[in-house]
């Protein structure tokens, strides 16, 4: 009776009863050794595959949960970056290898029922930067993915790279390493290369820009990035401002996850206002003063909730809003002046020649006077006469037709 009570008491305090194996495993775990033989087993541009041995027995692996916390620290940084708690004793990750990086891994064992967790010490390896002076690196490398599948990467020549340095770009997205072949110099004098087969919503793009020179080693630059993050959308098109001051524009694919930035410039005062429009291709301009001139244009990128793009698109076409109110006033004043002047001139002309009554009561004009040729030469045959009027090229063959204007000339 007593041992049973004891057992019950124990299991009350420790609601989970440890099996024999668990007990032994936990005992062994307290002597957990750090991973050994931490090695780089594969390298594709900046992507390295690292593996290690944990030294754990099969029994421990079968009866516990084993994880491998993995961290790294660039040579130019002070802090270790937590990365993953891996389940396999192998890991693949892309580093900016030109910075030099230390990686460390340890073994962490947890009994199945999570009563106890034991960790080993870290095992560290250093991955040295590629050979060459750091100042020969292609500097300020930046890539833009655009029009869904195209990519431009550009860079500046390293400050200590000799004049004969030829940089080359290699890239990879999932599959094999490709060499970029379409090199260019952009308008800012930056070197670059153009790639036409990037998938925007796929794996990271891995880039290496290395180079060669006759006089020195050129250090290789490595990076990777998610293509959608560096995507620059095509600019919105067909921006219009309707009469009720609604602004509308169009996108080829619309509009989930899009944010638009509308720039409204007051051309008279020379300042800008920006408005953000989400997932819609219209905006109602309310705050504009109709006595001043404005211009409106719009650009696009993805919303932050959808993983914000790094770049805005180019601007759309720009539309100008004229001074609608004062323009109408001007028009009104202008027309009034013209009207008054015309009436005035007419009156002066009429009275000046004392012919106002004659003009007012002039007889109904005689068509025979106006269409002399029709009656005199074609005997009133309208059809025939018309045939000779058009087309112009045939006019020569016909008799000249004189159409006299204004009855006062006859009078
Ligand atoms: C505990 O470790 C010892 C030696 O290190 C080994 O012989 C034994 O099998 C281990 N027991 C378990 C349950 O892993
Ligand atoms: C170290 O790891 C490498 C790669 O996995 C392997 O080829 C080698 O045999 C290992 N060495 C030892 C001593 O475990
Ligand atoms: C872990 O490292 C500390 C000091 O760095 C050392 O005293 C200890 O013995 C190590 N433990 C194991 C299990 O290697
Ligand atoms: C780096 O490149 C970007 C994009 O081309 C450019 O805007 C920036 O001015 C450059 N910075 C330096 C320091 O060259
Ligand atoms: C963008 O892609 C479309 C079709 O995918 C193509 O017709 C167009 O020429 C491309 N524009 C540029 C600037 O490459
Ligand atoms: C990319 O580079 C090509 C080739 O120089 C150029 O025609 C194109 O305008 C560039 N596109 C972008 C978005 O920078
Ligand atoms: C640049 O890197 C590529 C890919 O790793 C390699 O094939 C090429 O030999 C390297 N070029 C130089 C000059 O190091
Ligand atoms: C302006 O007019 C367009 C079409 O004529 C209409 O769709 C829109 O709702 C109007 N906007 C406002 C703010 O009245």
């Amino acid at each position: 009776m007593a041992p049973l009570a004891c057992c019950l008491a124990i299991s009350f305090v420790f609601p989970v009863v440890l099996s024999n194996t668990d007990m032994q495993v936990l005992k062994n775990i307290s002597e957990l050794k750090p991973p050994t033989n931490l090695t780089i087993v594969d390298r594709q541009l900046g992507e390295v595959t690292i593996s290690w041995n944990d030294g754990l027995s099969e029994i421990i692996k079968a009866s516990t949960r084993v994880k491998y916390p993995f961290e790294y620290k660039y040579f130019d940084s002070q802090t270790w970056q937590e990365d993953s708690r891996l389940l396999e004793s192998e890991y693949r990750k892309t580093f900016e290898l030109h910075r030099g990086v230390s990686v460390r891994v340890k073994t962490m064992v947890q009994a199945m029922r999570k009563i106890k967790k034991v960790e080993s010490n870290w095992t560290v390896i250093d991955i040295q930067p590629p050979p060459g002076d750091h100042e020969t690196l292609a500097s300020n490398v930046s890539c833009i993915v655009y029009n869904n599948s195209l990519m431009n990467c550009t860079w500046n020549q390293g400050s200590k790279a000799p004049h004969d340095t030829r940089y080359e770009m290699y890239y990879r997205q999932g599959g094999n390493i490709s060499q970029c072949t379409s090199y260019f110099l952009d308008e800012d004098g930056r070197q670059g290369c153009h790639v036409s087969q990037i998938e925007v919503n796929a794996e990271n793009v891995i880039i290496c820009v290395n180079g060669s020179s006759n006089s020195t080693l050129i250090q290789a630059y490595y990076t990777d990035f998610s293509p959608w993050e560096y995507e620059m959308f095509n600019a919105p098109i067909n921006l219009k401002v309707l009469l009720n001051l609604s602004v509308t524009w169009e996108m080829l694919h619309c509009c989930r996850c899009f944010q638009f930035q509308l720039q409204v410039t007051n051309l008279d005062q020379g300042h800008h206002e920006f408005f953000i429009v989400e997932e819609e291709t219209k905006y109602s301009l309310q705050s504009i003063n109709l006595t001043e001139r404005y211009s409106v244009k719009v650009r696009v990128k993805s919303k932050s909730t959808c993983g914000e793009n790094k770049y805005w698109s180019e601007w759309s076409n720009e539309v100008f809003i004229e001074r609608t109110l004062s323009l109408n006033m001007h028009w009104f004043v202008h027309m009034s002046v013209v009207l008054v002047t015309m009436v005035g001139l007419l009156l002066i002309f009429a009275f000046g020649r004392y012919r106002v009554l004659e003009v007012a009561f002039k007889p109904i004009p005689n068509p025979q006077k106006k269409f002399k040729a029709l009656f005199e030469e074609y005997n009133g045959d309208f059809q025939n006469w018309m045939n000779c009027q058009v087309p112009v090229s045939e006019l020569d063959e016909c008799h000249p037709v004189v159409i006299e204007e204004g009855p006062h000339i006859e009078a």
Side-chain angles (χ1 to χ4, degrees):
M1 204 57 195
L4 184 61
C6 176
C7 270
L8 279 174
I10 287 173
S11 65
F12 188 74
V13 175
F14 303 105
V16 177
V17 181
L18 297 179
S19 74
N20 247 8
T21 343
D22 279 347
M23 286 294 201
Q24 281 189 29
V25 164
L26 286 179
K27 196 166 150 238
N28 275 15
I29 278 171
S30 60
E31 300 148 15
L32 207 55
K33 294 218 166 53
T36 56
N37 196 20
L38 188 57
T39 348
I40 293 173
V41 290
D42 188 30
R43 215 185 108 187
Q44 304 276 330
L45 302 183
E47 185 187 73
V48 294
T49 307
I50 299 170
S51 85
W52 55 92
N53 293 340
D54 55 23
L56 295 177
S57 70
E58 287 308 311
I59 301 174
I60 290 183
K61 285 190 185 176
S63 53
T64 60
R65 254 173 242 184
V66 182
K67 287 183 188 165
Y68 310 98
F70 184 96
E71 299 186 353
Y72 65 92
K73 179 163 75 78
Y74 284 110
F75 288 5
D76 55 19
S77 160
Q78 298 301 315
T79 46
W80 287 95
Q81 307 283 316
E82 277 185 40
D83 192 84
S84 313
R85 289 187 166 186
L86 306 162
L87 299 174
E88 304 287 328
S89 60
E90 187 173 276
Y91 188 45
R92 191 157 60 193
K93 184 173 171 65
T94 305
F95 294 102
E96 298 182 358
L97 291 179
H98 54 278
R99 295 166 68 186
V101 63
S102 303
V103 301
R104 67 182 187 183
V105 64
K106 65 184 176 185
T107 307
M108 192 174 90
V109 173
Q110 236 172 351
M112 288 297 190
R113 294 177 179 121
K114 293 193 177 180
I115 288 175
K116 197 175 169 193
K117 183 173 82 178
V118 182
E119 295 178 1
S120 74
N121 278 350
W122 293 104
T123 299
V124 186
I125 56 162
D126 289 342
I127 307 175
Q128 295 299 328
D133 189 314
H134 199 65
E135 312 259 297
T136 59
L137 266 187
S139 67
N140 195 17
V141 179
S142 76
C143 298
I144 296 181
V145 176
Y146 65 103
N147 209 19
N148 221 22
S149 63
L150 310 180
M151 178 175 79
N152 281 3
C153 293
T154 52
W155 59 85
N156 294 113
Q157 177 146 338
S159 56
K160 284 194 188 159
H163 285 303
D164 70 340
T165 305
R166 278 180 300 104
Y167 288 103
E168 287 179 344
M169 186 174 107
Y170 294 81
Y171 66 97
R172 161 167 186 257
Q173 189 181 31
N176 294 331
I177 297 174
S178 309
Q179 180 175 6
C180 188
T181 51
S182 312
Y183 293 91
F184 61 84
L185 265 184
D186 76 7
E187 57 268 25
D188 302 326
R190 285 162 62 79
Q191 302 174 37
C193 200
H194 174 82
V195 173
S196 59
Q197 282 163 327
I198 292 297
E199 273 184 66
V200 172
N201 294 305
E203 296 132 296
N204 276 13
V205 175
I206 303 175
I207 300 284
C208 163
V209 182
N210 60 14
S212 53
S213 152
N214 288 333
S215 49
T216 182
L217 272 175
I218 304 299
Q219 199 175 35
Y221 174 95
Y222 296 93
T223 194
D224 75 318
F225 57 90
S226 22
W228 51 263
E229 201 179 323
Y230 286 77
E231 181 175 18
M232 183 193 245
F233 290 135
N234 288 338
I237 52 173
N238 272 342
L239 180 94
K240 286 183 189 128
V241 181
L242 308 181
L243 281 177
N244 62 8
L245 295 179
S246 271
V247 185
T248 64
W249 57 91
E250 289 168 30
M251 289 292 291
L252 244 41
H253 307 285
C254 216
C255 280
R256 216 172 58 81
C257 276
F258 285 0
Q259 60 172 313
F260 297 98
Q261 187 191 45
L262 204 69
Q263 179 185 297
V264 179
T265 306
N266 183 324
L267 297 169
D268 288 327
Q269 315 235 345
H271 61 69
H272 307 301
E273 261 191 289
F274 295 95
F275 304 98
I276 293 289
V277 182
E278 293 198 340
E279 303 196 342
E280 271 194 330
T281 54
K282 58 177 195 279
Y283 185 78
S284 181
L285 288 176
Q286 268 148 13
S287 62
I288 79 170
N289 179 346
L290 290 180
T291 63
E292 297 183 316
R293 291 176 309 133
Y294 293 85
S295 71
V296 184
K297 57 186 180 178
V298 70
R299 57 185 182 175
V300 62
K301 71 175 178 178
S302 61
K303 291 199 301 186
S304 55
T305 46
C306 300
E308 195 168 349
N309 288 146
K310 214 166 140 57
Y311 306 115
W312 284 104
S313 72
E314 301 280 349
W315 290 104
S316 71
N317 59 310
E318 189 165 24
V319 167
F320 296 88
I321 305 174
E322 288 303 330
R323 244 182 228 108
T324 35
L325 201 63
S326 66
L327 193 75
N328 282 346
M329 296 288 290
H330 273 150
W331 184 81
F332 184 77
V333 169
H334 183 75
M335 285 315 283
S336 303
V337 168
V338 168
L339 218 73
V340 167
T341 312
M342 275 172 62
V343 168
L345 281 176
L346 204 73
L347 286 176
I348 288 165
F349 176 76
F351 281 113
R353 300 196 68 181
Y354 301 104
R355 298 185 64 172
V356 63
L357 290 180
E358 212 178 312
V359 169
F361 298 105
K362 82 180 162 351
I364 296 161
N366 182 354
Q368 205 154 342
K369 285 180 178 171
K370 228 174 171 211
F371 303 104
K372 222 172 180 171
L374 170 64
F375 293 99
E376 285 177 3
E377 296 179 31
Y378 292 90
N379 229 346
D381 184 344
F382 186 74
Q383 194 72 39
N384 217 341
W385 179 76
M386 269 308 282
N387 284 345
C388 279
Q389 300 300 300
V390 281
V392 179
S393 60
E394 286 172 15
L395 209 62
D396 285 349
E397 299 164 16
C398 298
H399 303 281
V401 174
V402 180
I403 298 176
E404 292 173 1
E405 299 242 26
H408 59 271
I409 292 171
E410 288 290 303

